Amino acid sequence: MKILIVDDEKDVEMLFRQKFRKEVKNNSLELLFAFSGQEALELLERDNPPVVMYVFSDINMPGMTGLELLKLVKTRFPEIKVSMISAYGDAENYNKAKESGAQEFFTKPIDFDSLKKEINQLMN
């Protein structure tokens, strides 16, 4: 299963590769990365239908926010599950994300055990 992680902080890639090392090594998971909302959309639009099954996006990014990306993904690719992450666990972002179709809402630092459960549920 391919998942797309969208975050403007480049060090997130190394963290995800480390936390999902086992899943990547046994080929149950392929991680793709985009460092902006626009880059994420371009990656999703490359294949029709998209090869990505799950998008995990930061909310606060320059340019297109994660919430804007969420709305576009849910409009163009309703079959793709999207979860959001924010450094701020405020009710406003949570409510906007859930109303816009987010599968789940995580706060930083990421609880990778919860995220792995979420991904495992999608794989089964």
Side-chain angles (χ1 to χ4, degrees):
M1 178 170 100
K2 290 186 184 190
I3 65 171
L4 173 61
I5 295 97
V6 187
D7 198 313
D8 60 308
E9 295 177 32
K10 303 251 184 196
D11 58 339
V12 166
E13 180 175 357
M14 190 170 61
L15 178 64
F16 271 81
R17 290 200 185 281
Q18 178 186 8
K19 295 291 184 180
F20 289 98
R21 184 175 58 241
K22 186 176 81 177
E23 293 83 354
V24 169
K25 190 174 182 181
N26 71 21
N27 292 322
S28 64
L29 205 57
E30 184 177 339
L31 303 177
L32 304 173
F33 294 88
F35 301 102
S36 71
Q38 187 60 45
E39 186 181 347
L41 273 182
E42 289 168 7
L43 196 146
L44 291 172
E45 290 172 342
R46 277 189 208 147
D47 297 295
N48 190 10
V51 293
V52 171
M53 292 180 62
Y54 183 68
V55 174
F56 186 72
S57 178
D58 190 18
I59 285 181
N60 298 309
M61 296 185 290
M64 183 187 302
T65 69
L67 290 172
E68 291 168 327
L69 174 63
L70 169 63
K71 287 179 184 172
L72 288 169
V73 170
K74 294 313 285 179
T75 300
R76 295 182 191 177
F77 315 105
E79 69 282 1
I80 295 177
K81 305 289 186 230
V82 182
S83 288
M84 306 304 296
I85 182 160
S86 177
Y88 316 100
D90 64 280
E92 184 181 348
N93 275 336
Y94 175 86
N95 290 335
K96 283 182 184 173
K98 293 302 264 185
E99 287 167 10
S100 298
Q103 181 88 7
E104 197 54 70
F105 187 92
F106 294 87
T107 53
K108 292 181 180 179
I110 302 165
D111 178 348
F112 278 95
D113 289 335
S114 292
L115 180 58
K116 285 183 178 190
K117 282 182 193 165
E118 171 90 10
I119 291 169
N120 283 332
Q121 287 174 349
L122 292 172
M123 291 168 67
N124 296 327

